[in-house]
Amino acid sequence: DVKVTQSSRYLVKRTGEKVFLECVQDMDHENMFWYRQDPGLGLRLIYFSYDVKMKEKGDIPEGYSVSREKKERFSLILESASTNQTSMYLCASSLGGGIYHTQYFGPGTRLTVL
Amino acid sequence: QQQVKQSPQSLIVQKGGISIINCAYENTAFDYFPWYQQFPGKGPALLIAIRPDVSEKKEGRFTISFNKSAKQFSLHIMDSQPGDSATYFCAASMASNYQLIWGAGTKLIIKP
């Protein structure tokens, strides 16, 4: 079974802090994704990566950056956390395109910025 | 043109009833339409998916109906059970793209 793990289930940070969210997948998947989930807004893509050291902006990249130094690990960085970044953050991975579009999700990190 | 519109936002169904969630899209290049199910405290997980060359796909109590001409697809849950209570997301993608375009989600509650 594909396993996607996220470093924290719950996180509380202060405004202005630098925040690191880490995601690890164990199935040698090419693609990895970071989403935020807010009530009524569904899943919004922040960044995705289709290969090591490659990244592409999603729909809402402002205020975020990412790092993918190893194939299995994809990190989301909030350079200076703000209260409007309080949200559920979900990481996902997928093998590739076409019929392999199935995305496998981690359990999420609920981030609160005070 | 990249949007997927999902309705309703929330749905309450009696146990044993049929739950129906609808999605509509504009981009005719989409060629893969999955539905994901998310339980509280968990990430979404693939439930069932369909390609546009078929009009219906059934897996147990879950059926996707696909209407290519209307650019709509729907999820039907037959004999709905309390354990089906979850948030459901439709999505769409095309083979040339790594991304899924997501609907806004439907919170389904099955009343015992």
Side-chain angles (χ1 to χ4, degrees):
Chain A
D1 274 356
V2 177
K3 192 164 185 184
V4 179
T5 57
Q6 295 184 230
S7 50
S8 306
R9 292 301 303 272
Y10 300 93
L11 210 51
V12 180
K13 295 292 181 180
R14 298 231 173 252
T15 301
E17 280 193 82
K18 192 168 186 175
V19 181
F20 293 87
L21 302 182
E22 293 226 309
C23 175
V24 178
Q25 51 95 1
D26 67 356
M27 283 301 291
D28 203 34
H29 281 175
E30 304 293 329
N31 306 324
M32 296 189 75
F33 307 82
W34 274 108
Y35 294 92
R36 64 178 280 175
Q37 181 177 13
D38 300 288
L41 297 178
L43 299 171
R44 292 183 292 166
L45 182 65
I46 304 171
Y47 269 97
F48 70 99
S49 169
Y50 52 89
D51 201 354
V52 175
K53 296 191 187 292
M54 305 303 288
K55 60 186 179 185
E56 294 259 354
K57 292 180 181 179
D59 300 318
I60 51 163
E62 295 77 21
Y64 304 94
S65 62
V66 291
S67 172
R68 193 168 180 199
E69 296 295 320
K70 292 185 177 182
K71 192 175 187 179
E72 68 271 17
R73 190 178 297 267
F74 192 34
S75 301
L76 179 70
I77 303 150
L78 287 65
E79 296 290 342
S80 177
S82 64
T83 55
N84 63 11
Q85 292 179 310
T86 291
S87 187
M88 171 68 84
Y89 289 88
L90 290 164
C91 174
S93 71
S94 71
L95 183 59
I99 62 171
Y100 302 115
H101 273 311
T102 301
Q103 292 188 14
Y104 297 87
F105 284 82
T109 295
R110 185 164 293 283
L111 173 66
T112 302
V113 182
L114 302 175
Chain B
Q1 209 186 16
Q2 282 288 85
Q3 279 188 321
V4 175
K5 294 183 180 177
Q6 183 172 347
S7 61
Q9 215 171 11
S10 61
L11 182 62
I12 300 174
V13 175
Q14 289 293 129
K15 179 183 173 182
I18 302 172
S19 303
I20 302 174
I21 304 169
N22 300 299
C23 285
Y25 64 97
E26 288 296 322
N27 190 343
T28 55
F30 288 146
D31 62 358
Y32 176 69
F33 302 89
W35 285 88
Y36 281 72
Q37 179 188 54
Q38 184 183 28
F39 293 108
K42 306 276 187 183
L46 179 66
L47 180 64
I48 186 172
I50 197 167
R51 305 297 294 269
D53 51 344
V54 296
S55 60
E56 187 175 279
K57 183 173 181 180
K58 187 174 181 178
E59 289 185 3
R61 295 183 294 108
F62 300 89
T63 300
I64 300 178
S65 297
F66 185 81
N67 186 329
K68 192 173 182 177
S69 60
K71 292 185 282 187
Q72 294 176 347
F73 58 110
S74 58
L75 177 69
H76 296 237
I77 307 174
M78 311 300 287
D79 187 26
S80 299
Q81 298 297 312
D84 297 330
S85 296
T87 299
Y88 292 82
F89 293 96
C90 64
S93 72
M94 48 190 134
S96 59
N97 198 310
Y98 303 101
Q99 298 182 61
L100 286 172
I101 309 301
W102 296 86
T106 297
K107 185 172 184 178
L108 174 65
I109 297 172
I110 308 299
K111 287 190 135 183

